Amino acid sequence: MSEPVPQENQAVPPAVEATTAPAPGQAGEGETPAGPSKGELKKRAKEAEKAKKAAERAAREEEERKKREAKEAEDHAKQNYGKLPLHQSQERNHRRFLKFAELSPESVGQRVIFRARMHNSRAQGAKIVFLAFRQQTHTLQGVLVVSGEKDENQVSKQMLKYSQLIPSESIVLVEGVIKSAEVKSCTITNYEVGIHKLFTAVEVGDLPFSIDDASRAEADFEKAEKDENLQYSRVALPTRLDNRVMDLRTPTNQAIFRIQSAVGQLFRDYLNSQGFIEIHSPKLQGAATESGASVFKVQYFNGTAFLAQSPQLAKQMAIAGDFERVYEIGPVFRAEDSNTHRHMTEFLGLDLEMAFEEHYHEVLEVLDEMLKNIFKGLQSKFQHEIEVIKKQFPHEDFLFLDETLKLPFKEGIKMLKEAGAKGSDGEELGELDDLSTENEKFLGRLVREKYKTDYFILDKFPLAIRPFYTMPDPTDSTLSNSYDFFMRGEEILSGAQRVHDPVFLAERMKSVGIDPASMTGYLDAFKLGAPPHAGGGIGLERVVMLFLKLGNIRRASLFPRDPKRLNP
Amino acid sequence: MSEPVPQENQAVPPAVEATTAPAPGQAGEGETPAGPSKGELKKRAKEAEKAKKAAERAAREEEERKKREAKEAEDHAKQNYGKLPLHQSQERNHRRFLKFAELSPESVGQRVIFRARMHNSRAQGAKIVFLAFRQQTHTLQGVLVVSGEKDENQVSKQMLKYSQLIPSESIVLVEGVIKSAEVKSCTITNYEVGIHKLFTAVEVGDLPFSIDDASRAEADFEKAEKDENLQYSRVALPTRLDNRVMDLRTPTNQAIFRIQSAVGQLFRDYLNSQGFIEIHSPKLQGAATESGASVFKVQYFNGTAFLAQSPQLAKQMAIAGDFERVYEIGPVFRAEDSNTHRHMTEFLGLDLEMAFEEHYHEVLEVLDEMLKNIFKGLQSKFQHEIEVIKKQFPHEDFLFLDETLKLPFKEGIKMLKEAGAKGSDGEELGELDDLSTENEKFLGRLVREKYKTDYFILDKFPLAIRPFYTMPDPTDSTLSNSYDFFMRGEEILSGAQRVHDPVFLAERMKSVGIDPASMTGYLDAFKLGAPPHAGGGIGLERVVMLFLKLGNIRRASLFPRDPKRLNP
């Protein structure tokens, strides 16, 4: 409450009129060379009378002003607003604090208390201020009206002024009564709060950008460029990421990270229901496995360690260790100097590995059901969040079929060729060629057209373009028991049946130029006997980015890391 | 099926008796100096007769042997056993495979197929072999009996021999019929499987140690030392960890990691029900925050990054970013050269942070309820696993109260002093002294005696022994709004209300010798306004170790990392 109440808008009392006439009895004193004329005397008497009246009026006005000021300085609403001292858990009253999301018809007429961000304020005349309070994706209108009564809920002019000077983004504590209303400028359109008390708990200084500017869709900016009445400031992605804490407060980001959290939850829910257990494998590795080129080195006491590029080896070792069905959600690290919309140096891997009985399609089907469980869960339980995001990132709802399209790789190549696609070298596409990013996207469009789905599986990839631990097809040695899953034409999951025989695995290593001696820990696991198994790895941020069509993977990462960014 | 059927136990046909008598008509040919005597002729005739009979018998026996061999070589059971070719998902028959855990009275009489480890085998006479098959924590007895009938389920002597020669830990595919039985040597005591088919899917070579030895309790080894008939080999922890894949197959480890998985699940379940969202913060940091001494350096392209020692700063920034209630399950890295039973260089942090309204005890209570939810969930849903673990690591069930004991730090010091505890310097314990590990354990015992609980909270720690971001107590500036949670006398959770005011935070930094300029990203978050908040961090492996009294934290980590171990 130490905040001085600002005075600038205070009604200024009328200034006392200055008069040029001397006071009576003082005029011409000591000046007697010639007596004044009668007319002159009359005139003087009149002027004196006028001056007297003016003085009287001024005195009266001065008195009134003092009275009024005294009355205003009293401020019976003082206890209802102001700045709170530092919150050190001084007391506990077990009051229930309102969450805007909980508002319902029963709330009307209830006295509530809540904590929120000061989103903005707008005065209407001298006696009313409309405030917008924000909690995550919701804004609620508050109304502050100067009241006549002198009761405990009194709102004074000073309080009104105070409310207008609270900086945006400050955290306020509000008490008031919920009313039915029709509101256009807030996300909550059918209620508002009549404010009785308004305190600043945390005052905020300069902002790098406004939440409103950071929340606009690209289309809004394009509109503003053609309309000189609209003054919007585009907030570039690097600016957002430099000030990520501020950026994260936009309703869009609040919704994105609720969805990111839900994806992990839905992933686990499905796998738990299928008898999986969650494992945690070490990120610090003694050797640079898989592909040495893109691995980060760590100074480990007097030696060197490496950051795991995936839990691939560990999860397979867990299978050899008899855990049968395992998953892991954890960071994976890629020391690749890729500066694209879909690469980061650290991202979240949703990995799973599963022993199977007869056919690797048992695993492919679990992966498929798990992903559909994610899509269904998001569309049924997070419609509010999806709608919030669509305002800034407009997109068509993600399409998927009850029975997922499982396309053999060769079939995909055929579709591409028929549509006129060429290889990245401009040559005819071969049945065993890898797919370029462009052709993947092209295939995604062809599939969407033909099958009405944004989601499908490509199965039976050529062996030569898959990692050494991929199991070859039993009848065609140029193919393999491996698969990729696609969302909106981009790969989100890659997986395969793995080679579980140590002799064959060592052969495969040699055939791709890896010295089996460099991976003894891994090979040893298979010498101890591993059941047939398959699995896959998903990039969490890619799923979020593609489901919501965010256009850049950094938007799906809380604090993204790329070759040029390590902060905040 | 390419495995040659071993012959060593095959019944050896009786060798043909050798006779010294020359064949008739050949005796003495060309030798006629004197005619034989009558007696001599009689004798010769007798011998010839004898030889003839012997030859006839030998011929008969030879014929019988050939018949028998032919019959055996036929082996009508050939199709019912042998080694399978490499599993490349050749075919799919959609058969349902049995999990031992699912056996029930309805299973009796059912024909089943399952995949399992060959645990061990034991012959009983020439016609019966008992096998133990293992699936995770369960072993099931299999009985193989040489059958008379020539039906499709025929079991031959060769099949019996084959079964005994399958190396332990090989992965087998078994078909048979479930029967009621009384079995002592397996974990499943009321059923066994009558085997019709037995194939080796994955054959295993030399083992570093046996699952049985790796599963014994310390008491068993002590008993064996006094009993010369018991030949047990102790498997030391480093040997286990060097061969972790093998070690993980013990029923104890199968149970430990199911419980580890459950702890994470129960942690999430409770927090999700309280409106938390899961976040993922980067492990690669641009600056060595918190305490620079124990942080791992990473070579990051042409610069340097650091591995996060905790998500402390990131989760607080998420609170400043308006997420209100967040948790994270992820690796944390400590470059501390500590070689103790409870330190690792990489472990799993269960972290949470929460904005609160009136008092940090709101957060303390959420933490408390969350932990009790874990304890209750484990004791109600994982009794089987707990019992399995108790066989190797005997312990009393973990005790906790419905209403958790919340002891002020001063009160804890008082209890210790009254019981005669001294400071680590041998001096009298002071009210603001830190607790040594020994005194923590001592206090744990005192609390258990007095309050009958293995779990309690110590609240209101002295400010001086807590991190700079800890909020001081509002009335006593030597104390703070911070707490530790204990299990069996060891700290498992440390937390506090945090300083959310940027000016005060910078002051606190300076007071402990940290330059605020070195943590601008963190400070900036608070300049943008953060609500009052508190949180805590839990070591997943510590909770598992202490709940199950495993004695060493490495036993609660899948592939533990310490200053001397980076593999496997």
Side-chain angles (χ1 to χ4, degrees):
Chain A
M1 312 240 189
S2 56
E3 182 78 346
V5 178
Q7 304 291 327
E8 56 176 307
N9 285 339
Q10 210 155 22
V12 180
V16 179
E17 270 175 39
T19 161
T20 53
Q26 284 179 347
E29 226 165 347
E31 224 188 283
T32 49
S37 72
K38 224 175 182 180
E40 181 63 22
L41 282 172
K42 209 172 177 181
K43 191 182 169 198
R44 284 190 187 173
K46 218 174 174 180
E47 281 174 350
E49 180 64 13
K50 207 175 167 185
K52 188 185 156 208
K53 280 186 181 162
E56 278 168 6
R57 191 174 66 235
R60 206 167 55 240
E61 280 172 357
E62 172 67 14
E63 200 180 332
E64 275 168 19
R65 192 181 64 85
K66 279 186 182 161
K67 269 192 197 163
R68 198 168 51 234
E69 275 184 357
K71 193 181 162 192
E72 279 175 355
E74 235 176 75
D75 190 4
H76 291 287
K78 256 183 183 167
Q79 73 286 357
N80 291 340
Y81 69 97
K83 184 155 190 268
L84 296 174
L86 179 64
H87 193 322
Q88 289 184 271
S89 303
Q90 283 86 342
E91 55 178 11
R92 191 172 184 190
N93 301 309
H94 293 275
R95 291 171 300 180
R96 196 177 139 60
F97 282 62
L98 174 75
K99 296 286 166 202
F100 296 168
E102 296 165 359
L103 280 168
S104 74
E106 286 85 67
S107 311
V108 175
Q110 285 184 354
R111 176 143 184 151
V112 297
I113 179 169
F114 61 82
R115 171 173 51 81
R117 294 268 173 202
M118 176 63 78
H119 190 62
N120 60 43
S121 65
R122 174 172 54 89
Q124 194 170 73
K127 295 202 162 187
I128 299 186
V129 168
F130 292 101
L131 303 161
F133 300 114
R134 197 181 74 241
Q135 285 183 345
Q136 291 74 53
T137 57
H138 307 283
T139 47
L140 173 68
Q141 174 161 286
V143 188
L144 201 58
V145 186
V146 174
S147 56
E149 298 108 85
K150 288 183 190 167
D151 61 12
E152 61 170 13
N153 294 326
Q154 191 177 20
V155 173
S156 62
K157 280 192 177 175
Q158 291 93 327
M159 183 169 169
L160 208 74
K161 281 163 222 154
Y162 177 79
S163 77
Q164 291 174 273
L165 293 165
I166 299 174
S168 284
E169 293 303 302
S170 294
I171 296 170
V172 289
L173 216 62
V174 180
E175 277 185 63
V177 173
I178 298 296
K179 298 173 188 173
S180 282
E182 273 184 47
V183 182
K184 282 188 179 166
S185 56
C186 287
T187 66
I188 294 171
T189 55
N190 39 357
Y191 309 108
E192 65 181 17
V193 59
I195 301 169
H196 294 319
K197 299 189 177 185
L198 176 64
F199 297 101
T200 310
V202 177
E203 200 175 86
V204 167
D206 291 341
L207 301 176
F209 45 78
S210 80
I211 292 288
D212 284 338
D213 277 339
S215 304
R216 291 186 220 284
E218 184 52 32
D220 294 335
F221 292 112
E222 283 163 13
K223 203 171 129 197
E225 278 160 13
K226 291 167 198 151
D227 181 346
E228 59 185 18
N229 291 322
L230 291 176
Q231 296 278 333
Y232 297 161
S233 291
R234 235 192 214 92
V235 189
L237 190 55
T239 308
R240 292 174 185 274
L241 298 179
D242 287 344
N243 302 278
R244 188 60 161 164
V245 164
M246 186 69 196
D247 188 41
L248 287 173
R249 292 182 195 158
T250 64
T252 309
N253 275 328
Q254 290 290 317
I256 287 173
F257 290 96
R258 276 172 175 71
I259 284 182
Q260 197 210 50
S261 173
V263 170
Q265 214 49 54
L266 291 162
F267 174 84
R268 282 192 203 94
D269 285 349
Y270 184 76
L271 296 179
N272 290 343
S273 79
Q274 300 299 307
F276 281 73
I277 67 162
E278 183 176 25
I279 59 166
H280 303 286
S281 66
K283 305 309 155 203
L284 291 168
Q285 300 287 349
T289 47
E290 287 197 72
S291 59
S294 56
V295 64
F296 287 114
K297 274 187 194 176
V298 181
Q299 193 182 314
Y300 196 76
F301 303 101
N302 295 322
T304 303
F306 303 89
L307 289 180
Q309 292 171 287
S310 85
Q312 182 64 34
L313 310 187
K315 68 182 181 172
Q316 286 194 260
M317 287 162 82
I319 295 297
D322 275 358
F323 288 106
E324 289 282 307
R325 295 175 167 213
V326 298
Y327 67 83
E328 175 161 5
I329 297 189
V332 297
F333 304 92
R334 303 282 163 92
E336 288 162 15
D337 199 0
S338 302
N339 296 278
T340 78
H341 80 284
R342 59 176 200 164
H343 285 93
M344 295 193 291
T345 49
E346 177 177 355
F347 63 91
L348 257 289
L350 308 182
D351 267 276
L352 72 80
E353 203 70 24
M354 172 182 151
F356 62 82
E357 310 300 355
E358 296 182 333
H359 201 283
Y360 76 95
H361 278 182
E362 294 164 38
V363 183
L364 180 137
E365 285 160 13
V366 166
L367 287 164
D368 178 35
E369 289 301 323
M370 177 271 291
L371 277 165
K372 284 193 292 189
N373 187 59
I374 291 176
F375 305 149
K376 282 178 200 163
L378 293 181
Q379 291 187 344
S380 64
K381 289 181 228 155
F382 292 85
Q383 205 51 52
H384 166 70
E385 282 76 7
I386 293 171
E387 292 308 318
V388 166
I389 294 163
K390 274 186 183 175
K391 282 182 195 154
Q392 188 165 7
F393 298 102
H395 64 267
E396 285 182 69
D397 276 328
F398 187 78
L399 277 183
F400 63 100
L401 306 171
D402 285 339
E403 187 78 33
T404 303
L405 174 67
K406 296 175 187 81
L407 208 59
F409 184 84
K410 280 185 182 174
E411 197 63 36
I413 294 283
K414 201 176 145 204
M415 281 177 72
L416 280 169
K417 281 169 77 170
E418 282 171 5
K422 297 282 174 193
S424 43
D425 50 4
E427 296 287 306
E428 179 114 337
L429 269 178
E431 270 193 348
L432 302 178
D433 284 357
D434 206 351
L435 286 180
S436 66
T437 308
E438 286 67 40
N439 277 337
E440 280 183 358
K441 286 190 181 170
F442 190 15
L443 182 58
R445 288 196 299 275
L446 294 173
V447 164
R448 192 179 208 272
E449 252 169 56
K450 186 168 175 188
Y451 299 98
K452 314 293 170 213
T453 180
D454 287 315
Y455 164 67
F456 71 100
I457 301 170
L458 217 49
D459 191 19
K460 292 279 168 204
F461 272 69
L463 182 63
I465 61 173
R466 305 297 277 197
F468 69 86
Y469 47 74
T470 308
M471 182 65 87
D473 178 87
T475 54
D476 182 344
S477 63
T478 65
L479 298 183
S480 66
N481 293 346
S482 69
Y483 38 81
D484 276 6
F485 288 46
F486 291 84
M487 284 174 69
R488 302 199 200 259
E490 294 193 39
E491 177 256 308
I492 50 131
L493 181 153
S494 195
Q497 178 180 351
R498 326 295 187 179
V499 175
H500 61 281
D501 181 87
V503 178
F504 186 44
L505 189 59
E507 271 174 35
R508 292 277 298 142
M509 282 180 181
K510 281 180 219 158
S511 75
V512 298
I514 296 175
D515 180 8
S518 71
M519 298 185 76
T520 45
Y522 181 62
L523 271 172
D524 284 352
F526 297 103
K527 285 181 186 157
L528 294 170
H533 60 287
I538 305 177
L540 171 60
E541 294 89 348
R542 273 199 195 178
V543 172
V544 173
M545 165 181 79
L546 293 166
F547 189 82
L548 300 169
K549 248 187 152 171
L550 301 179
N552 192 309
I553 198 156
R554 291 161 186 79
R555 295 203 178 95
S557 173
L558 198 64
F559 298 108
R561 294 293 182 255
D562 63 34
K564 297 185 173 60
R565 179 173 293 280
L566 274 172
N567 286 301
Chain B
M1 311 245 189
S2 56
E3 182 77 345
V5 178
Q7 303 291 326
E8 53 177 307
N9 285 338
Q10 211 156 21
V12 180
V16 179
E17 272 173 39
T19 162
T20 52
Q26 284 179 350
E29 222 168 350
E31 222 187 284
T32 51
S37 70
K38 225 174 181 179
E40 181 65 19
L41 282 171
K42 210 171 177 182
K43 193 183 167 195
R44 285 190 186 170
K46 218 175 173 179
E47 280 174 350
E49 180 65 10
K50 208 175 164 185
K52 187 187 158 204
K53 279 186 182 165
E56 279 169 7
R57 189 172 67 236
R60 207 166 52 241
E61 280 172 357
E62 172 67 14
E63 200 178 331
E64 275 169 19
R65 191 183 65 85
K66 279 185 180 162
K67 269 192 195 162
R68 197 166 53 232
E69 277 187 355
K71 194 180 165 192
E72 279 177 354
E74 235 176 75
D75 189 5
H76 290 290
K78 257 182 183 170
Q79 73 288 357
N80 291 339
Y81 69 97
K83 184 155 189 272
L84 297 174
L86 179 66
H87 193 321
Q88 290 182 271
S89 303
Q90 283 85 345
E91 55 178 11
R92 192 174 185 189
N93 302 308
H94 293 275
R95 291 171 300 179
R96 195 177 140 60
F97 281 62
L98 174 74
K99 295 287 165 201
F100 296 169
E102 294 166 0
L103 281 168
S104 74
E106 286 83 69
S107 311
V108 176
Q110 283 184 354
R111 176 139 185 154
V112 296
I113 179 168
F114 61 83
R115 170 172 53 80
R117 294 268 174 200
M118 175 64 77
H119 190 61
N120 61 41
S121 64
R122 175 172 53 91
Q124 194 171 72
K127 295 203 160 184
I128 299 186
V129 169
F130 291 101
L131 304 160
F133 300 114
R134 197 181 75 242
Q135 284 183 346
Q136 290 74 52
T137 58
H138 306 283
T139 49
L140 174 68
Q141 175 161 284
V143 189
L144 201 58
V145 186
V146 174
S147 56
E149 299 108 84
K150 290 184 189 165
D151 61 12
E152 60 170 15
N153 295 327
Q154 192 177 19
V155 173
S156 62
K157 280 190 176 175
Q158 292 94 326
M159 184 170 169
L160 209 72
K161 282 163 222 153
Y162 177 79
S163 77
Q164 291 174 272
L165 294 166
I166 301 173
S168 283
E169 294 301 303
S170 293
I171 295 171
V172 291
L173 215 62
V174 181
E175 277 186 64
V177 173
I178 298 296
K179 299 172 186 174
S180 282
E182 274 184 47
V183 182
K184 282 186 181 167
S185 55
C186 287
T187 66
I188 292 171
T189 55
N190 40 358
Y191 308 108
E192 65 180 20
V193 59
I195 300 168
H196 294 320
K197 298 189 180 187
L198 176 64
F199 297 101
T200 310
V202 177
E203 200 174 85
V204 168
D206 291 341
L207 300 176
F209 46 78
S210 80
I211 293 288
D212 283 338
D213 277 340
S215 304
R216 289 185 222 286
E218 184 53 32
D220 295 334
F221 292 112
E222 283 163 16
K223 202 171 130 196
E225 276 159 16
K226 291 166 196 152
D227 182 345
E228 60 184 17
N229 292 322
L230 292 176
Q231 298 276 333
Y232 295 162
S233 292
R234 235 192 214 91
V235 188
L237 188 56
T239 309
R240 290 174 188 274
L241 298 180
D242 287 343
N243 301 279
R244 189 61 162 164
V245 164
M246 186 69 195
D247 188 41
L248 287 173
R249 292 182 196 158
T250 65
T252 309
N253 274 329
Q254 290 290 317
I256 287 173
F257 290 96
R258 275 172 175 70
I259 284 183
Q260 197 210 52
S261 173
V263 170
Q265 214 48 54
L266 291 161
F267 174 85
R268 283 193 201 92
D269 286 349
Y270 184 75
L271 297 179
N272 291 343
S273 79
Q274 300 299 307
F276 281 73
I277 68 161
E278 184 175 26
I279 60 165
H280 303 285
S281 67
K283 305 310 154 202
L284 290 167
Q285 300 285 349
T289 47
E290 284 197 78
S291 59
S294 56
V295 64
F296 287 113
K297 274 187 193 174
V298 180
Q299 193 181 313
Y300 196 77
F301 302 101
N302 295 323
T304 304
F306 303 89
L307 289 180
Q309 291 171 288
S310 84
Q312 182 63 35
L313 310 188
K315 68 184 180 170
Q316 286 193 258
M317 287 161 80
I319 294 297
D322 275 359
F323 289 107
E324 289 282 307
R325 297 177 165 212
V326 299
Y327 67 83
E328 175 161 5
I329 297 189
V332 297
F333 304 92
R334 303 281 163 94
E336 289 162 15
D337 199 1
S338 302
N339 294 277
T340 78
H341 80 284
R342 60 177 200 165
H343 286 94
M344 295 192 293
T345 49
E346 177 177 353
F347 62 90
L348 255 290
L350 308 182
D351 268 274
L352 72 81
E353 203 70 23
M354 172 182 151
F356 63 82
E357 310 300 353
E358 296 182 332
H359 202 284
Y360 76 96
H361 278 183
E362 294 164 37
V363 182
L364 181 136
E365 285 159 13
V366 166
L367 286 163
D368 178 35
E369 290 301 321
M370 178 271 290
L371 277 164
K372 285 193 290 189
N373 186 58
I374 291 176
F375 304 150
K376 282 178 199 164
L378 293 181
Q379 291 187 345
S380 64
K381 288 183 230 153
F382 291 86
Q383 206 51 53
H384 167 72
E385 282 77 8
I386 292 171
E387 292 307 318
V388 166
I389 293 163
K390 274 187 181 175
K391 283 182 193 154
Q392 189 165 7
F393 297 102
H395 65 267
E396 285 182 69
D397 277 329
F398 187 78
L399 276 183
F400 62 100
L401 305 171
D402 284 340
E403 186 79 33
T404 303
L405 174 67
K406 295 174 187 79
L407 209 58
F409 184 84
K410 279 183 182 173
E411 197 64 37
I413 293 283
K414 202 175 145 206
M415 281 177 72
L416 280 168
K417 281 169 78 171
E418 281 171 7
K422 297 282 177 196
S424 46
D425 49 2
E427 297 286 309
E428 180 115 334
L429 270 178
E431 270 193 348
L432 301 178
D433 284 358
D434 206 352
L435 286 180
S436 66
T437 307
E438 287 67 38
N439 276 337
E440 280 184 358
K441 286 190 181 173
F442 190 16
L443 182 59
R445 288 196 298 275
L446 294 174
V447 164
R448 193 179 207 274
E449 252 168 54
K450 186 169 174 186
Y451 298 97
K452 314 293 172 214
T453 180
D454 287 316
Y455 164 67
F456 70 101
I457 300 169
L458 218 49
D459 191 19
K460 291 280 167 206
F461 272 68
L463 182 63
I465 61 174
R466 305 296 278 198
F468 69 85
Y469 47 75
T470 307
M471 181 66 85
D473 178 88
T475 55
D476 182 343
S477 64
T478 65
L479 298 182
S480 66
N481 293 347
S482 68
Y483 38 81
D484 276 7
F485 288 45
F486 290 85
M487 285 174 68
R488 300 197 200 262
E490 295 193 39
E491 178 255 307
I492 49 131
L493 180 153
S494 197
Q497 179 180 350
R498 326 295 186 180
V499 176
H500 60 281
D501 181 87
V503 178
F504 186 43
L505 189 59
E507 270 174 37
R508 293 275 300 140
M509 282 181 179
K510 282 181 215 155
S511 75
V512 299
I514 297 175
D515 178 7
S518 71
M519 296 184 76
T520 45
Y522 181 61
L523 271 172
D524 284 351
F526 298 102
K527 285 181 186 158
L528 293 171
H533 60 287
I538 306 178
L540 172 60
E541 295 89 348
R542 274 199 194 178
V543 172
V544 173
M545 166 181 77
L546 293 166
F547 190 83
L548 300 169
K549 250 190 152 170
L550 301 178
N552 193 308
I553 198 156
R554 291 162 186 79
R555 294 202 178 95
S557 172
L558 199 65
F559 297 109
R561 295 290 181 258
D562 63 33
K564 297 184 174 60
R565 178 173 294 281
L566 272 172
N567 286 301

